Amino acid sequence: MRRRGVLARLFAAAALLAGGALPYVLSTILAPGAAKARRNNLRPPGALLDDKAFVAACIGCGLCGEVCPPDCIRFHARTGGDAVNTPYIDPSERACTLCGKCMEVCPTAALSIIPRARIDMGLAFIDRTACYPWVDRGICGACVTICPLGSRAISFDFANIYRPIIQKGCVGCGLCVEVCPHSSKPIWIDPHRQSINAAEEV
Amino acid sequence: MRVRIFLWRHLNKLRWVSLSLVFAMLIILPCLHIYQTYVAAHAYDLLAPSEKRFYDVMESLTAPFINDPAEDLDAVKGNTWSGNFWGLKLSDPLAVLGQMAAGFSLYWPFILTALIPIAVTAFFGRVFCGWICPANFLYELNSNLAAWLQWAGLRTGARRFDKRIKYGVLGLGLLLSAATGSIMVAAVYPPAIVGRELYYVIAQGGFGVGMVFFVGTLLFDLLVSRRGFCRYLCPGGALYSLLGRYRLVRVRRVVESCNDCQKCNAVCEFALAPMTDGFGQECTNCAACMAVCPTDALTFDIRLFDHPEQGPGHLGRRYRREPSDENDANKAAEEAAA
């Protein structure tokens, strides 16, 4: 009799647990994992550098997107698995202007207020086999002109003043990517300068 | 001793005003955000005709209150999951708890944003669920729809489950958050879903997965169990119930004016039993039972615990019939008074 009572209780607890798990199973099935984040898939400025820590800190409230003046912050709304509802910036669609409103409004530690020069969204790279001035197909300089950080981040080559060269001050806002007139975007941002620096010298 | 105010029966209307206002804000704020991005772009002439119309409407709506749309409209932002009101940041306690579980860390600036909601819940109980929650707004409309369907002769769900399941959902959600390192409770918490999905639909160009989940819960409520998600599954409701367990402001039945009509039991969205003094920690102080009571027998009381069961209402038939010492004493007193 007592054993049966214990069994019944265990069964009830298991049923409660299964009932409780149901919503999570559903929500996980609904948001499949996305492919690994590669170039031009950036976190907003001031984001925690470790992406796992960022996902753990971000509550998905959408405040950063709601204050973004250029409306560049998008959200992993339908995919992303664990990272569902976290913000990202695709500079080839619309780039960050480094205004810093998202850092100020974020209630969590996911985005913290840091000075503009120390922001680390990523680092720009130029494909010298496609960029118009680098292959002598004309003059451009759009990326150098738009850069909000000036010659600290991007400058012209000494020998040929129209060839852009990325400098160490680049914070990865991606405005150069947005304005690049080349249809295949030979300039792009690899997320997180620090990790890149650790892997290879720029 | 007890203050009985006839205005209590009109509180339910005030509650609907509050719910509608919150829901309207969740629609207006993303619209204002779009307007702000248009302003920030300084390119009115490049907008499409429909965008120009939108711009003009938003400008005429906001112009009387602000000088600079790009800055001044930032005063109120966000949703009920986390919001920003003139510099005051408020967050859902569940967001704080979920984040603490997911990151194994305490970030005080964020934890402090949940302080006011927690204090309000400690005093007034689950008022968030009844008075603010944008999902509750839709769920109550859904439950009214179910009533209409029943009136039309269709059968809707009326199953009952164990109310403790939601505490399992809360605990399991926190465990899963800790295991996966992502805030799982946010994915199954309807007010958070409604807030951000409205934002996604209006300003981000389409709904996300949460909308599918939310429509599923609406169907669950309609076809399986009336208000089933809030009653049995909502992790936030579980947290607010726990926080409001020893709330100070409680609904209380005045047994002298109760006539045992059961209308309060029927109208209660959370399957409580006001007529038999069964409130408990799940009561949202929504005042729907007060609005429906024909004899104004429900009132607010300030005390830490529910009033123990008081037996049949003195205006009801059972009270007249049932012989008991207390009953006889009351009757004698009444006769003496007469």
Side-chain angles (χ1 to χ4, degrees), chain B residues 67-86:
Chain B
N67 295 319
D68 175 17
E71 293 296 329
D72 296 352
L73 285 180
D74 284 342
V76 181
K77 285 282 178 190
N79 47 46
T80 61
W81 189 230
S82 188
N84 197 347
F85 304 87
W86 289 279

Side-chain angles (χ1 to χ4, degrees), chain B residues 266-295:
Chain B
V267 84
C268 183
E269 293 276 321
F270 288 85
L272 307 176
M275 204 197 78
T276 46
D277 301 297
F279 295 101
Q281 61 193 27
E282 322 259 327
C283 177
T284 64
N285 280 352
C286 77
C289 50
M290 296 179 176
V292 83
C293 181
T295 56

Side-chain angles (χ1 to χ4, degrees), chain A residues 56-88:
Chain A
C58 174
I59 57 169
C61 62
L63 269 169
C64 49
E66 227 171 294
V67 297
C68 182
D71 200 18
C72 65
I73 297 182
R74 308 273 103 191
F75 291 88
H76 291 289
R78 299 186 199 181
T79 55
D82 286 350
V84 70
N85 297 320
T86 55
Y88 71 94

Side-chain angles (χ1 to χ4, degrees), chain A residues 63-114:
Chain A
L63 269 169
C64 49
E66 227 171 294
V67 297
C68 182
D71 200 18
C72 65
I73 297 182
R74 308 273 103 191
F75 291 88
H76 291 289
R78 299 186 199 181
T79 55
D82 286 350
V84 70
N85 297 320
T86 55
Y88 71 94
I89 294 175
D90 182 355
S92 63
E93 282 179 16
R94 208 164 303 164
C96 171
T97 57
L98 300 178
C99 71
K101 278 191 181 179
C102 51
M103 302 190 255
E104 282 165 27
V105 83
C106 181
T108 71
L111 306 180
S112 47
I113 301 172
I114 50 178

